[in-house]
Amino acid sequence: MKERATVLCVRDNRVLLVARLRSRWALPGGRIRRGEAPHEAALRELAEETTLTATELTYLFQFSGFNTLHYVFFADVAYESVAQASNEITRCKWFPPVKIGTLSASVPTRGIVELFLGRVVAAEHGGLQQMSEQVE
């Protein structure tokens, strides 16, 4: 099974998604390199794909996709920082969580966002409590 570091960024009750040319929307992230820790891969991929630098990174949970194990992290980024598509990414945009279900998004992306909203928001990030309340 492949291993991937996946990053959730939330700002103003919106989740950051990225996409390659002619591809589905997905959470930032990518494969973990040999000798690289999952959190190192998460920081690297976030910077490579969006030019954002995490001010804090919190491990959330593992999510099993079809053939990929996702190590999911929550990244705090400076509010004034701007996400810009970089590297192989051609688009990045902040979406309200309720909109993600209507997008052409990857199955793991939908599952990870749903799990995050359902279990993690209230327990780990009280400041994001409003987000889960708006979705319900």
Side-chain angles (χ1 to χ4, degrees):
M1 184 172 267
K2 298 174 194 168
E3 293 185 329
R4 182 182 200 276
T6 301
V7 183
L8 267 159
C9 284
V10 178
R11 178 184 289 162
D12 295 330
N13 297 327
R14 295 174 184 270
V15 176
L16 180 65
L17 297 183
V18 299
R20 296 174 187 224
L21 188 63
R22 294 186 211 99
S23 187
R24 294 179 186 190
W25 289 102
L27 293 163
R31 290 195 181 145
I32 300 169
R33 295 177 178 162
R34 183 176 300 189
E36 186 177 43
H39 74 277
E40 294 170 329
L43 292 169
R44 176 181 52 77
E45 289 288 345
L46 180 65
E48 284 178 2
E49 293 180 348
T50 68
T51 71
L52 294 174
T53 302
T55 56
E56 188 175 332
L57 190 69
T58 304
Y59 175 77
L60 296 177
F61 50 80
Q62 289 182 8
F63 182 89
S64 292
F66 298 117
N67 60 357
T68 303
L69 178 62
H70 297 257
Y71 292 89
V72 182
F73 295 87
F74 182 87
D76 283 319
V77 296
Y79 190 80
E80 65 278 357
S81 59
V82 177
Q84 297 178 350
S86 180
N87 206 7
E88 72 271 13
I89 299 303
T90 58
R91 302 177 288 165
C92 57
K93 186 174 176 181
W94 300 89
F95 290 97
V98 294
K99 175 102 172 151
I100 293 172
T102 66
L103 296 173
S104 177
S106 71
V107 172
T109 293
R110 290 179 185 182
I112 290 168
V113 170
E114 184 178 311
L115 210 76
F116 173 70
L117 292 174
R119 294 203 252 169
V120 180
V121 173
E124 292 290 325
H125 302 284
L128 299 176
Q129 181 68 35
Q130 296 171 347
M131 184 174 164
S132 64
E133 291 167 356
Q134 288 179 346
V135 173
E136 296 174 355

mmCIF file with all atom_site columns, all heavy atoms in Angstrom, residues 116-135:
data_model
loop_
_atom_site.group_PDB
_atom_site.id
_atom_site.type_symbol
_atom_site.label_atom_id
_atom_site.label_alt_id
_atom_site.label_comp_id
_atom_site.label_asym_id
_atom_site.label_entity_id
_atom_site.label_seq_id
_atom_site.pdbx_PDB_ins_code
_atom_site.Cartn_x
_atom_site.Cartn_y
_atom_site.Cartn_z
_atom_site.occupancy
_atom_site.B_iso_or_equiv
_atom_site.pdbx_formal_charge
_atom_site.auth_seq_id
_atom_site.auth_comp_id
_atom_site.auth_asym_id
_atom_site.auth_atom_id
_atom_site.pdbx_PDB_model_num
ATOM 1   N N   . PHE A 1 116 ? -13.072 14.650 9.270  1.00 0.00 ? 116 PHE A N   1
ATOM 2   C CA  . PHE A 1 116 ? -12.571 15.827 9.981  1.00 0.00 ? 116 PHE A CA  1
ATOM 3   C C   . PHE A 1 116 ? -13.723 16.608 10.593 1.00 0.00 ? 116 PHE A C   1
ATOM 4   O O   . PHE A 1 116 ? -13.704 16.954 11.770 1.00 0.00 ? 116 PHE A O   1
ATOM 5   C CB  . PHE A 1 116 ? -11.771 16.707 9.019  1.00 0.00 ? 116 PHE A CB  1
ATOM 6   C CG  . PHE A 1 116 ? -11.335 18.028 9.600  1.00 0.00 ? 116 PHE A CG  1
ATOM 7   C CD1 . PHE A 1 116 ? -10.366 18.074 10.582 1.00 0.00 ? 116 PHE A CD1 1
ATOM 8   C CD2 . PHE A 1 116 ? -11.885 19.208 9.158  1.00 0.00 ? 116 PHE A CD2 1
ATOM 9   C CE1 . PHE A 1 116 ? -9.949  19.282 11.121 1.00 0.00 ? 116 PHE A CE1 1
ATOM 10  C CE2 . PHE A 1 116 ? -11.481 20.425 9.681  1.00 0.00 ? 116 PHE A CE2 1
ATOM 11  C CZ  . PHE A 1 116 ? -10.507 20.459 10.672 1.00 0.00 ? 116 PHE A CZ  1
ATOM 12  N N   . LEU A 1 117 ? -14.745 16.865 9.811  1.00 0.00 ? 117 LEU A N   1
ATOM 13  C CA  . LEU A 1 117 ? -15.892 17.630 10.302 1.00 0.00 ? 117 LEU A CA  1
ATOM 14  C C   . LEU A 1 117 ? -16.650 16.864 11.378 1.00 0.00 ? 117 LEU A C   1
ATOM 15  O O   . LEU A 1 117 ? -17.086 17.445 12.363 1.00 0.00 ? 117 LEU A O   1
ATOM 16  C CB  . LEU A 1 117 ? -16.834 17.975 9.156  1.00 0.00 ? 117 LEU A CB  1
ATOM 17  C CG  . LEU A 1 117 ? -16.294 18.968 8.145  1.00 0.00 ? 117 LEU A CG  1
ATOM 18  C CD1 . LEU A 1 117 ? -17.268 19.118 6.991  1.00 0.00 ? 117 LEU A CD1 1
ATOM 19  C CD2 . LEU A 1 117 ? -16.015 20.306 8.789  1.00 0.00 ? 117 LEU A CD2 1
ATOM 20  N N   . GLY A 1 118 ? -16.780 15.585 11.191 1.00 0.00 ? 118 GLY A N   1
ATOM 21  C CA  . GLY A 1 118 ? -17.572 14.783 12.110 1.00 0.00 ? 118 GLY A CA  1
ATOM 22  C C   . GLY A 1 118 ? -16.919 14.489 13.436 1.00 0.00 ? 118 GLY A C   1
ATOM 23  O O   . GLY A 1 118 ? -17.589 14.435 14.463 1.00 0.00 ? 118 GLY A O   1
ATOM 24  N N   . ARG A 1 119 ? -15.609 14.309 13.462 1.00 0.00 ? 119 ARG A N   1
ATOM 25  C CA  . ARG A 1 119 ? -14.960 13.854 14.679 1.00 0.00 ? 119 ARG A CA  1
ATOM 26  C C   . ARG A 1 119 ? -13.905 14.780 15.255 1.00 0.00 ? 119 ARG A C   1
ATOM 27  O O   . ARG A 1 119 ? -13.705 14.800 16.448 1.00 0.00 ? 119 ARG A O   1
ATOM 28  C CB  . ARG A 1 119 ? -14.291 12.504 14.430 1.00 0.00 ? 119 ARG A CB  1
ATOM 29  C CG  . ARG A 1 119 ? -15.287 11.409 14.156 1.00 0.00 ? 119 ARG A CG  1
ATOM 30  C CD  . ARG A 1 119 ? -14.674 10.091 14.463 1.00 0.00 ? 119 ARG A CD  1
ATOM 31  N NE  . ARG A 1 119 ? -14.399 9.356  13.254 1.00 0.00 ? 119 ARG A NE  1
ATOM 32  C CZ  . ARG A 1 119 ? -13.670 8.258  13.207 1.00 0.00 ? 119 ARG A CZ  1
ATOM 33  N NH1 . ARG A 1 119 ? -13.106 7.811  14.268 1.00 0.00 ? 119 ARG A NH1 1
ATOM 34  N NH2 . ARG A 1 119 ? -13.486 7.641  12.077 1.00 0.00 ? 119 ARG A NH2 1
ATOM 35  N N   . VAL A 1 120 ? -13.208 15.496 14.417 1.00 0.00 ? 120 VAL A N   1
ATOM 36  C CA  . VAL A 1 120 ? -12.027 16.198 14.887 1.00 0.00 ? 120 VAL A CA  1
ATOM 37  C C   . VAL A 1 120 ? -12.272 17.655 15.243 1.00 0.00 ? 120 VAL A C   1
ATOM 38  O O   . VAL A 1 120 ? -11.680 18.169 16.180 1.00 0.00 ? 120 VAL A O   1
ATOM 39  C CB  . VAL A 1 120 ? -10.896 16.097 13.827 1.00 0.00 ? 120 VAL A CB  1
ATOM 40  C CG1 . VAL A 1 120 ? -9.654  16.811 14.300 1.00 0.00 ? 120 VAL A CG1 1
ATOM 41  C CG2 . VAL A 1 120 ? -10.603 14.647 13.559 1.00 0.00 ? 120 VAL A CG2 1
ATOM 42  N N   . VAL A 1 121 ? -13.119 18.325 14.532 1.00 0.00 ? 121 VAL A N   1
ATOM 43  C CA  . VAL A 1 121 ? -13.300 19.764 14.731 1.00 0.00 ? 121 VAL A CA  1
ATOM 44  C C   . VAL A 1 121 ? -13.602 20.091 16.190 1.00 0.00 ? 121 VAL A C   1
ATOM 45  O O   . VAL A 1 121 ? -12.926 20.911 16.797 1.00 0.00 ? 121 VAL A O   1
ATOM 46  C CB  . VAL A 1 121 ? -14.390 20.329 13.795 1.00 0.00 ? 121 VAL A CB  1
ATOM 47  C CG1 . VAL A 1 121 ? -14.691 21.772 14.129 1.00 0.00 ? 121 VAL A CG1 1
ATOM 48  C CG2 . VAL A 1 121 ? -13.935 20.221 12.350 1.00 0.00 ? 121 VAL A CG2 1
ATOM 49  N N   . ALA A 1 122 ? -14.611 19.465 16.751 1.00 0.00 ? 122 ALA A N   1
ATOM 50  C CA  . ALA A 1 122 ? -15.022 19.787 18.116 1.00 0.00 ? 122 ALA A CA  1
ATOM 51  C C   . ALA A 1 122 ? -13.936 19.426 19.133 1.00 0.00 ? 122 ALA A C   1
ATOM 52  O O   . ALA A 1 122 ? -13.665 20.195 20.048 1.00 0.00 ? 122 ALA A O   1
ATOM 53  C CB  . ALA A 1 122 ? -16.319 19.073 18.443 1.00 0.00 ? 122 ALA A CB  1
ATOM 54  N N   . ALA A 1 123 ? -13.298 18.275 18.957 1.00 0.00 ? 123 ALA A N   1
ATOM 55  C CA  . ALA A 1 123 ? -12.340 17.806 19.949 1.00 0.00 ? 123 ALA A CA  1
ATOM 56  C C   . ALA A 1 123 ? -10.994 18.526 19.879 1.00 0.00 ? 123 ALA A C   1
ATOM 57  O O   . ALA A 1 123 ? -10.436 18.914 20.893 1.00 0.00 ? 123 ALA A O   1
ATOM 58  C CB  . ALA A 1 123 ? -12.125 16.302 19.777 1.00 0.00 ? 123 ALA A CB  1
ATOM 59  N N   . GLU A 1 124 ? -10.466 18.686 18.688 1.00 0.00 ? 124 GLU A N   1
ATOM 60  C CA  . GLU A 1 124 ? -9.107  19.195 18.536 1.00 0.00 ? 124 GLU A CA  1
ATOM 61  C C   . GLU A 1 124 ? -9.003  20.694 18.313 1.00 0.00 ? 124 GLU A C   1
ATOM 62  O O   . GLU A 1 124 ? -8.026  21.301 18.682 1.00 0.00 ? 124 GLU A O   1
ATOM 63  C CB  . GLU A 1 124 ? -8.429  18.490 17.359 1.00 0.00 ? 124 GLU A CB  1
ATOM 64  C CG  . GLU A 1 124 ? -8.170  17.036 17.601 1.00 0.00 ? 124 GLU A CG  1
ATOM 65  C CD  . GLU A 1 124 ? -7.080  16.801 18.624 1.00 0.00 ? 124 GLU A CD  1
ATOM 66  O OE1 . GLU A 1 124 ? -6.119  17.577 18.677 1.00 0.00 ? 124 GLU A OE1 1
ATOM 67  O OE2 . GLU A 1 124 ? -7.220  15.838 19.393 1.00 0.00 ? 124 GLU A OE2 1
ATOM 68  N N   . HIS A 1 125 ? -9.976  21.282 17.661 1.00 0.00 ? 125 HIS A N   1
ATOM 69  C CA  . HIS A 1 125 ? -9.854  22.677 17.241 1.00 0.00 ? 125 HIS A CA  1
ATOM 70  C C   . HIS A 1 125 ? -11.129 23.440 17.571 1.00 0.00 ? 125 HIS A C   1
ATOM 71  O O   . HIS A 1 125 ? -11.913 23.768 16.680 1.00 0.00 ? 125 HIS A O   1
ATOM 72  C CB  . HIS A 1 125 ? -9.553  22.760 15.742 1.00 0.00 ? 125 HIS A CB  1
ATOM 73  C CG  . HIS A 1 125 ? -8.306  22.024 15.389 1.00 0.00 ? 125 HIS A CG  1
ATOM 74  N ND1 . HIS A 1 125 ? -7.064  22.513 15.652 1.00 0.00 ? 125 HIS A ND1 1
ATOM 75  C CD2 . HIS A 1 125 ? -8.105  20.806 14.848 1.00 0.00 ? 125 HIS A CD2 1
ATOM 76  C CE1 . HIS A 1 125 ? -6.152  21.643 15.269 1.00 0.00 ? 125 HIS A CE1 1
ATOM 77  N NE2 . HIS A 1 125 ? -6.762  20.595 14.780 1.00 0.00 ? 125 HIS A NE2 1
ATOM 78  N N   . GLY A 1 126 ? -11.301 23.740 18.849 1.00 0.00 ? 126 GLY A N   1
ATOM 79  C CA  . GLY A 1 126 ? -12.500 24.436 19.307 1.00 0.00 ? 126 GLY A CA  1
ATOM 80  C C   . GLY A 1 126 ? -12.763 25.712 18.543 1.00 0.00 ? 126 GLY A C   1
ATOM 81  O O   . GLY A 1 126 ? -13.908 26.103 18.349 1.00 0.00 ? 126 GLY A O   1
ATOM 82  N N   . GLY A 1 127 ? -11.721 26.366 18.050 1.00 0.00 ? 127 GLY A N   1
ATOM 83  C CA  . GLY A 1 127 ? -11.888 27.592 17.286 1.00 0.00 ? 127 GLY A CA  1
ATOM 84  C C   . GLY A 1 127 ? -12.564 27.366 15.952 1.00 0.00 ? 127 GLY A C   1
ATOM 85  O O   . GLY A 1 127 ? -13.076 28.294 15.350 1.00 0.00 ? 127 GLY A O   1
ATOM 86  N N   . LEU A 1 128 ? -12.582 26.137 15.499 1.00 0.00 ? 128 LEU A N   1
ATOM 87  C CA  . LEU A 1 128 ? -13.232 25.820 14.226 1.00 0.00 ? 128 LEU A CA  1
ATOM 88  C C   . LEU A 1 128 ? -14.616 25.220 14.443 1.00 0.00 ? 128 LEU A C   1
ATOM 89  O O   . LEU A 1 128 ? -15.240 24.749 13.510 1.00 0.00 ? 128 LEU A O   1
ATOM 90  C CB  . LEU A 1 128 ? -12.367 24.849 13.419 1.00 0.00 ? 128 LEU A CB  1
ATOM 91  C CG  . LEU A 1 128 ? -10.985 25.358 13.052 1.00 0.00 ? 128 LEU A CG  1
ATOM 92  C CD1 . LEU A 1 128 ? -10.208 24.271 12.337 1.00 0.00 ? 128 LEU A CD1 1
ATOM 93  C CD2 . LEU A 1 128 ? -11.080 26.579 12.186 1.00 0.00 ? 128 LEU A CD2 1
ATOM 94  N N   . GLN A 1 129 ? -15.104 25.260 15.671 1.00 0.00 ? 129 GLN A N   1
ATOM 95  C CA  . GLN A 1 129 ? -16.399 24.681 15.996 1.00 0.00 ? 129 GLN A CA  1
ATOM 96  C C   . GLN A 1 129 ? -17.502 25.243 15.105 1.00 0.00 ? 129 GLN A C   1
ATOM 97  O O   . GLN A 1 129 ? -18.376 24.513 14.670 1.00 0.00 ? 129 GLN A O   1
ATOM 98  C CB  . GLN A 1 129 ? -16.738 24.960 17.463 1.00 0.00 ? 129 GLN A CB  1
ATOM 99  C CG  . GLN A 1 129 ? -18.068 24.381 17.904 1.00 0.00 ? 129 GLN A CG  1
ATOM 100 C CD  . GLN A 1 129 ? -18.077 22.874 17.944 1.00 0.00 ? 129 GLN A CD  1
ATOM 101 O OE1 . GLN A 1 129 ? -17.073 22.250 18.267 1.00 0.00 ? 129 GLN A OE1 1
ATOM 102 N NE2 . GLN A 1 129 ? -19.185 22.270 17.598 1.00 0.00 ? 129 GLN A NE2 1
ATOM 103 N N   . GLN A 1 130 ? -17.435 26.518 14.782 1.00 0.00 ? 130 GLN A N   1
ATOM 104 C CA  . GLN A 1 130 ? -18.461 27.149 13.956 1.00 0.00 ? 130 GLN A CA  1
ATOM 105 C C   . GLN A 1 130 ? -18.596 26.442 12.609 1.00 0.00 ? 130 GLN A C   1
ATOM 106 O O   . GLN A 1 130 ? -19.672 26.317 12.072 1.00 0.00 ? 130 GLN A O   1
ATOM 107 C CB  . GLN A 1 130 ? -18.119 28.614 13.694 1.00 0.00 ? 130 GLN A CB  1
ATOM 108 C CG  . GLN A 1 130 ? -18.094 29.456 14.933 1.00 0.00 ? 130 GLN A CG  1
ATOM 109 C CD  . GLN A 1 130 ? -17.544 30.836 14.627 1.00 0.00 ? 130 GLN A CD  1
ATOM 110 O OE1 . GLN A 1 130 ? -16.969 31.072 13.564 1.00 0.00 ? 130 GLN A OE1 1
ATOM 111 N NE2 . GLN A 1 130 ? -17.722 31.749 15.548 1.00 0.00 ? 130 GLN A NE2 1
ATOM 112 N N   . MET A 1 131 ? -17.488 25.977 12.089 1.00 0.00 ? 131 MET A N   1
ATOM 113 C CA  . MET A 1 131 ? -17.497 25.339 10.783 1.00 0.00 ? 131 MET A CA  1
ATOM 114 C C   . MET A 1 131 ? -18.392 24.108 10.785 1.00 0.00 ? 131 MET A C   1
ATOM 115 O O   . MET A 1 131 ? -19.216 23.922 9.904  1.00 0.00 ? 131 MET A O   1
ATOM 116 C CB  . MET A 1 131 ? -16.073 24.973 10.395 1.00 0.00 ? 131 MET A CB  1
ATOM 117 C CG  . MET A 1 131 ? -15.932 24.407 9.034  1.00 0.00 ? 131 MET A CG  1
ATOM 118 S SD  . MET A 1 131 ? -14.181 24.221 8.740  1.00 0.00 ? 131 MET A SD  1
ATOM 119 C CE  . MET A 1 131 ? -14.226 23.148 7.374  1.00 0.00 ? 131 MET A CE  1
ATOM 120 N N   . SER A 1 132 ? -18.246 23.242 11.801 1.00 0.00 ? 132 SER A N   1
ATOM 121 C CA  . SER A 1 132 ? -19.054 22.037 11.831 1.00 0.00 ? 132 SER A CA  1
ATOM 122 C C   . SER A 1 132 ? -20.514 22.374 12.087 1.00 0.00 ? 132 SER A C   1
ATOM 123 O O   . SER A 1 132 ? -21.404 21.721 11.581 1.00 0.00 ? 132 SER A O   1
ATOM 124 C CB  . SER A 1 132 ? -18.540 21.074 12.889 1.00 0.00 ? 132 SER A CB  1
ATOM 125 O OG  . SER A 1 132 ? -18.662 21.637 14.175 1.00 0.00 ? 132 SER A OG  1
ATOM 126 N N   . GLU A 1 133 ? -20.776 23.426 12.859 1.00 0.00 ? 133 GLU A N   1
ATOM 127 C CA  . GLU A 1 133 ? -22.148 23.819 13.127 1.00 0.00 ? 133 GLU A CA  1
ATOM 128 C C   . GLU A 1 133 ? -22.835 24.346 11.874 1.00 0.00 ? 133 GLU A C   1
ATOM 129 O O   . GLU A 1 133 ? -24.008 24.121 11.652 1.00 0.00 ? 133 GLU A O   1
ATOM 130 C CB  . GLU A 1 133 ? -22.186 24.868 14.237 1.00 0.00 ? 133 GLU A CB  1
ATOM 131 C CG  . GLU A 1 133 ? -21.790 24.278 15.589 1.00 0.00 ? 133 GLU A CG  1
ATOM 132 C CD  . GLU A 1 133 ? -21.528 25.350 16.631 1.00 0.00 ? 133 GLU A CD  1
ATOM 133 O OE1 . GLU A 1 133 ? -21.573 26.551 16.312 1.00 0.00 ? 133 GLU A OE1 1
ATOM 134 O OE2 . GLU A 1 133 ? -21.272 24.952 17.786 1.00 0.00 ? 133 GLU A OE2 1
ATOM 135 N N   . GLN A 1 134 ? -22.090 25.047 11.019 1.00 0.00 ? 134 GLN A N   1
ATOM 136 C CA  . GLN A 1 134 ? -22.663 25.592 9.793  1.00 0.00 ? 134 GLN A CA  1
ATOM 137 C C   . GLN A 1 134 ? -23.022 24.485 8.810  1.00 0.00 ? 134 GLN A C   1
ATOM 138 O O   . GLN A 1 134 ? -23.930 24.621 8.023  1.00 0.00 ? 134 GLN A O   1
ATOM 139 C CB  . GLN A 1 134 ? -21.706 26.573 9.132  1.00 0.00 ? 134 GLN A CB  1
ATOM 140 C CG  . GLN A 1 134 ? -21.599 27.872 9.880  1.00 0.00 ? 134 GLN A CG  1
ATOM 141 C CD  . GLN A 1 134 ? -20.631 28.827 9.224  1.00 0.00 ? 134 GLN A CD  1
ATOM 142 O OE1 . GLN A 1 134 ? -19.843 28.436 8.365  1.00 0.00 ? 134 GLN A OE1 1
ATOM 143 N NE2 . GLN A 1 134 ? -20.685 30.075 9.599  1.00 0.00 ? 134 GLN A NE2 1
ATOM 144 N N   . VAL A 1 135 ? -22.276 23.389 8.851  1.00 0.00 ? 135 VAL A N   1
ATOM 145 C CA  . VAL A 1 135 ? -22.492 22.299 7.912  1.00 0.00 ? 135 VAL A CA  1
ATOM 146 C C   . VAL A 1 135 ? -23.724 21.511 8.285  1.00 0.00 ? 135 VAL A C   1
ATOM 147 O O   . VAL A 1 135 ? -24.450 21.031 7.436  1.00 0.00 ? 135 VAL A O   1
ATOM 148 C CB  . VAL A 1 135 ? -21.241 21.391 7.852  1.00 0.00 ? 135 VAL A CB  1
ATOM 149 C CG1 . VAL A 1 135 ? -21.506 20.166 7.030  1.00 0.00 ? 135 VAL A CG1 1
ATOM 150 C CG2 . VAL A 1 135 ? -20.073 22.159 7.278  1.00 0.00 ? 135 VAL A CG2 1
#
